[in-house]
Amino acid sequence: MNLAMLSLAIIGVMLCIGMLLRAKIPFIGKMLIPASVIGGIIGFIFMNVIEPVTPLNLDCGTFGDLVDTMFVLSFISIGLTGSQKAKKEKEPDGTKQTGPVLGGVGMGIIWCLLYGLTPVLGGILIFIIGRAVGMSGWYGILIPFGFCQGPGQASTYGRLFENVYGFENAEMVALTFAVVGFIAAFGVGVPMARYGLRKKLCLYEGKINASVEKGYMGPSEKGESVGYETTHSGNIDTLAFHFAVMGITYIVTLIIAQLLNFIPVIGSSFAAMLFFCGMLAAYLVKAIMRKLKIDYLIDNSLQSKISGWLSDFLVTGAFMSIKINVIGEWIIPILIECVLITIVTYAVCMYFGSRLGSDHDFERVLGLYGTATGTTPSGLSLVRMVDPKLQSGAADELGIMNASMILTTPVMILVTLGGTKVISFWVMIGGMALSCILYLILLKVFRVWRKPSFSFAKGERYFEEISSEEEGGEREYPDTPDMGGAVKL
């Protein structure tokens, strides 16, 4: 029996159960929790309570391997997906960018602030309370990979800490952070959205139709096309061709990882980040195809659906890769840290998000909070609760904000230097704290730290209109967002 294939099939079963529960239980439907999260929770219970008394012999480690592999493939898929450059709207004098661009940049910088702040707080907290159960403060700095980046990054960096830096069960800890992050995303985000609707803090009247709540199209509803054929089926099926190109790219990924190993000191760290190598390999393969003038054979719509398939499966698999008895006594410090980081994430998103300076800052806060605790689709789900037709522009800004995430490079360098023992734990923590000051400065530089546009506590909106001089031009609100740039999984 192929254990990996069986595990993949079980993930599919849990996804179908999640879809069924969302469709049949109104409470779950109204919370807009994705089937991947619902199925993941059911799968977590199954693996820790039911599976031990079955003859299946499933292993949480196999699910972890699948999550890690699917995460690399998702980045390969994203890299192979072409993207159209967005036109930059400008003022008549041709100098200033529009509000959505500035809003996306501001949201990205706030996300970077959380990426630098949460490991500082988490590392110090676990250093203090984890010593009683033999838990090093190093485990505490894994929190941004789970909260800010999601299960894929959590698995990748957890394995890096475990296999390269020598911290036992680091992957399990990081994935636990990611799982609790999803719970925080919807457990806190949904009440936030409903309160905002009740207090009329949103730009548009939010009313979600039955299909969105159920999570599937009715027989009379017409959905969007999932893609177009680019090859003749008598030769090779289009989907088969796309997967074949991904297979070639995966081989190139492994070659790049081997080459990175030759870099002194930090080479092994970057080689262990296969998702990074996968993205580079995808860009290389895409460039070669463009040079050969065959890049049109990759259909962007179909490739993005492959990315979505990988994302759903890896989220559910992440829940099922956690074995509660492995974490043991560490579960209490982990949960305490998760509660603290949830509060901090909420406070940072609410304070700075309400000061981005627009008539839809509340929608931005919801999207930012959902992304900073789960994944980009989590943020989009929360936005849909108050803006079902995605008219405010906040959904589009969730895609734009990913470009700003490159600003987390200083934090990543510090983690690498700390993990390879080039710098000490406390020097690393101090460096991360300084990076937070840099992000605060950038919020001022980009003029996205302004007066509050609403008060969540009072349930009042202060914003009426932003002049073109402040915002940089008149916004256009697309009916559907372009999420092609979103890479957070």
Side-chain angles (χ1 to χ4, degrees):
M1 181 171 58
N2 189 314
L3 191 58
M5 191 61 219
L6 177 60
S7 300
L8 196 64
I10 295 295
I11 292 176
V13 171
M14 297 305 163
L15 277 168
C16 289
I17 293 175
M19 185 175 177
L20 178 65
L21 292 177
R22 171 158 169 171
K24 298 301 182 182
I25 302 178
F27 171 74
I28 296 178
K30 291 182 182 299
M31 292 189 70
L32 298 185
I33 303 176
S36 58
V37 175
I38 302 170
I41 294 173
I42 301 299
F44 170 79
I45 297 172
F46 172 79
M47 287 299 296
N48 285 276
V49 178
I50 302 174
E51 195 281 332
V53 297
T54 69
L56 293 174
N57 294 320
L58 294 173
D59 179 27
C60 287
T62 303
F63 288 100
D65 291 338
L66 287 171
V67 168
D68 194 51
T69 302
M70 287 188 288
F71 183 59
V72 176
L73 290 174
S74 68
F75 265 76
I76 288 174
S77 183
I78 290 168
L80 290 174
T81 305
S83 60
Q84 296 180 346
K85 292 183 179 179
K87 294 180 179 179
K88 293 182 178 180
E89 302 287 343
K90 296 183 179 180
E91 285 286 284
D93 61 4
T95 57
K96 295 184 179 180
Q97 295 178 319
T98 61
V101 174
L102 285 177
V105 170
M107 291 165 68
I109 295 173
I110 296 170
W111 184 91
C112 292
L113 174 63
L114 286 167
Y115 195 82
L117 178 62
T118 55
V120 172
L121 298 177
I124 294 174
L125 177 68
I126 297 301
F127 177 82
I128 296 172
I129 68 174
R131 301 168 79 177
V133 291
M135 189 178 184
S136 167
W138 279 93
Y139 291 96
I141 71 169
L142 290 168
I143 190 76
F145 307 124
F147 266 55
C148 287
Q149 293 190 308
Q153 296 276 29
S155 176
T156 297
Y157 284 99
R159 289 198 173 203
L160 174 67
F161 271 63
E162 192 168 326
N163 299 331
V164 180
Y165 302 156
F167 293 95
E168 187 178 4
N169 296 325
E171 183 183 12
M172 196 73 72
V173 173
L175 283 169
T176 304
F177 284 140
V179 165
V180 178
F182 274 114
I183 296 172
F186 293 97
V188 176
V190 171
M192 281 172 59
R194 295 198 177 282
Y195 177 84
L197 283 171
R198 191 167 66 250
K199 294 295 183 178
K200 300 187 181 302
L201 297 177
C202 351
L203 183 60
Y204 295 94
E205 182 69 25
K207 188 175 181 181
I208 301 172
N209 62 41
S211 293
V212 174
E213 287 189 356
K214 290 187 299 183
Y216 64 90
M217 301 290 185
S220 61
E221 294 177 286
K222 184 177 180 181
E224 297 180 3
S225 170
V226 297
Y228 294 92
E229 290 191 334
T230 60
T231 62
H232 290 287
S233 57
N235 179 33
I236 181 173
D237 185 79
T238 298
L239 186 59
F241 174 76
H242 282 65
F243 275 107
V245 173
M246 290 179 65
I248 293 171
T249 309
Y250 187 78
I251 293 174
V252 177
T253 298
L254 298 179
I255 294 173
I256 291 175
Q258 290 299 316
L259 293 175
L260 288 175
N261 271 317
F262 290 104
I263 301 175
V265 183
I266 62 174
S268 58
S269 295
F270 282 103
M273 301 177 192
L274 272 184
F275 75 93
F276 172 73
C277 302
M279 183 69 84
L280 291 179
Y283 288 151
L284 177 60
V285 170
K286 188 76 172 180
I288 293 173
M289 294 182 69
R290 192 176 293 115
K291 190 71 174 178
L292 297 174
K293 297 182 180 180
I294 59 172
D295 56 305
Y296 68 91
L297 293 175
I298 298 291
D299 181 74
N300 289 340
S301 297
L302 181 57
Q303 194 67 59
S304 66
K305 290 299 179 183
I306 294 174
S307 302
W309 166 70
L310 289 164
S311 177
D312 283 340
F313 267 72
L314 77 85
V315 167
T316 303
F319 279 81
M320 301 180 71
S321 67
I322 298 173
K323 198 72 172 176
I324 197 69
N325 61 2
V326 173
I327 299 174
E329 295 179 324
W330 291 5
I331 190 62
I332 300 302
I334 288 173
L335 292 178
I336 292 174
E337 179 176 359
C338 287
V339 171
L340 171 66
I341 298 306
T342 298
I343 294 171
V344 170
T345 301
Y346 167 84
V348 169
C349 290
M350 188 62 69
Y351 177 83
F352 290 102
S354 65
R355 287 164 170 77
L356 287 169
S358 79
D359 52 6
H360 62 283
D361 275 353
F362 180 68
E363 288 86 340
R364 287 172 166 175
V365 168
L366 285 176
L368 179 60
Y369 174 80
T371 304
T373 50
T375 56
T376 301
S378 305
L380 185 60
S381 294
L382 294 178
V383 172
R384 280 187 180 276
M385 290 194 68
V386 299
D387 182 16
K389 296 182 180 179
L390 301 177
Q391 296 170 280
S392 67
D396 204 38
E397 290 164 343
L398 286 176
I400 297 172
M401 70 178 279
N402 283 279
S404 303
M405 293 179 180
I406 194 174
L407 296 173
T408 59
T409 301
V411 177
M412 289 311 309
I413 292 175
L414 287 166
V415 171
T416 302
L417 294 176
T420 53
K421 305 296 188 294
V422 175
I423 59 177
S424 69
F425 175 81
W426 292 109
V427 171
M428 178 189 64
I429 291 292
M432 289 178 177
L434 289 176
S435 72
C436 295
I437 298 175
L438 171 63
Y439 300 136
L440 292 175
I441 294 172
L442 288 176
L443 287 172
K444 283 295 185 181
V445 169
F446 283 96
R447 300 175 63 191
V448 284
W449 186 355
R450 306 179 180 182
K451 294 181 180 179
S453 59
F454 70 90
S455 170
F456 188 75
K458 297 179 181 179
E460 298 176 352
R461 287 186 67 193
Y462 305 136
F463 184 91
E464 292 298 334
E465 184 179 359
I466 285 183
S467 66
S468 60
E469 179 181 356
E470 285 182 305
E471 183 65 12
E474 185 179 352
R475 284 189 305 274
E476 292 184 3
Y477 301 124
D479 291 332
T480 56
D482 176 14
M483 299 303 292
V487 298
K488 180 177 180 297
L489 297 166

